[in-house]
Amino acid sequence: MSEEKTGSMEMRSLVIVYSYHHNNTEKIAHEFSEVLHAEVKSPEQVTMEELQEYDLIGFGAGIDSGRHYKPLLDLVDRLPSVHKKAGFIFSTSAMQGEDKVKKDHSLLREKLESKGYKIVGEFSCKGFNTNSFLKYIGGMNKGRPNRDDLKNAQAFAQSLKGS
Ligand SMILES: Cc1cc2nc3c(=O)[nH]c(=O)nc-3n(C[C@H](O)[C@H](O)[C@H](O)COP(=O)(O)O)c2cc1C
């Protein structure tokens, strides 16, 4: 972060999210947005030029087949290179667990790091899932993200302030 952006000036943040199944990840993005005073945009709303205006950028989506949704990954492939810009990764998914989330996030992390982003945090929580046969049995993780998930998302965003 350059000197004039430190001190009393707030970090300029953007949250990019692709969310469609039940808008689970979008709910998380909105919690981040409130805490960080950040705009939320979908990959198709983002322009390459505007990205240089931000000090911190969040990248998130639901998980499909063990990786973030393709429109988000495709956007990251098109990003210009940066020098140690702060970024964070988030997701919602059916199944959680430290190793599983790490694996789910690994492709996006690799792509962002190869563009020069410094990953300053990762967040994930369960999301309601009615994929495939699950729709016949009422789905799994009903009600997720729940209030606790949203609170955790807020705390995570708070921890990013000043990163
Ligand atoms: C086509 C499809 C594939 C999915 N694959 C996975 C997966 O590999 N692992 C997982 O944990 N959850 C998987 N899920 C569950 C979603 O990641 C989960 O429901 C997520 O919260 C959806 O996010 P969204 O509402 O923001 O789109 C899948 C869901 C769909 C619809």
Side-chain angles (χ1 to χ4, degrees):
M1 205 185 301
S2 64
E3 264 175 34
E4 63 270 23
K5 290 176 198 154
T6 56
S8 61
M9 278 191 72
E10 193 170 62
M11 199 168 52
R12 287 170 305 178
S13 311
L14 174 69
V15 179
I16 305 173
V17 66
Y18 191 83
S19 175
Y20 78 93
H21 187 41
H22 289 285
N23 294 329
N24 297 327
T25 324
E26 195 169 330
K27 290 174 191 145
I28 297 298
H30 280 289
E31 297 302 317
F32 296 157
S33 143
E34 290 209 353
V35 175
L36 298 170
H37 304 131
E39 252 188 278
V40 178
K41 292 194 172 191
S42 63
E44 57 269 34
Q45 290 172 324
V46 168
T47 65
M48 297 301 144
E49 299 72 43
E50 74 178 307
L51 293 182
Q52 61 197 25
E53 293 167 22
Y54 297 101
D55 305 307
L56 172 70
I57 306 179
F59 298 87
I63 297 294
D64 179 346
S65 310
R67 50 178 59 181
H68 286 82
Y69 291 150
K70 193 168 181 299
L72 182 71
L73 297 172
D74 288 347
L75 171 80
V76 174
D77 283 338
R78 297 195 304 273
L79 292 183
S81 291
V82 289
H83 183 65
K84 291 188 181 162
K85 191 190 279 284
F88 67 92
I89 294 174
F90 64 103
S91 66
T92 63
S93 63
M95 308 286 284
Q96 292 277 300
E98 206 175 312
D99 289 348
K100 197 251 180 198
V101 169
K102 201 171 168 196
K103 204 156 173 270
D104 288 347
H105 285 193
S106 61
L107 181 61
L108 179 59
R109 174 184 264 274
E110 264 171 42
K111 286 179 183 290
L112 286 168
E113 286 178 343
S114 79
K115 296 287 178 169
Y117 281 82
K118 181 173 174 277
I119 305 305
V120 295
E122 297 187 40
F123 179 89
S124 188
C125 71
K126 284 186 179 175
F128 183 41
N129 180 23
T130 53
N131 188 30
S132 180
F133 69 91
L134 290 167
K135 60 177 161 290
Y136 304 113
I137 57 166
M140 67 187 288
N141 305 333
K142 204 163 172 31
R144 305 294 294 269
N146 59 20
R147 266 175 62 164
D148 282 348
D149 296 322
L150 300 183
K151 268 198 207 155
N152 290 338
Q154 283 174 12
F156 170 80
Q158 199 64 44
S159 77
L160 295 177
K161 283 190 167 183
S163 59

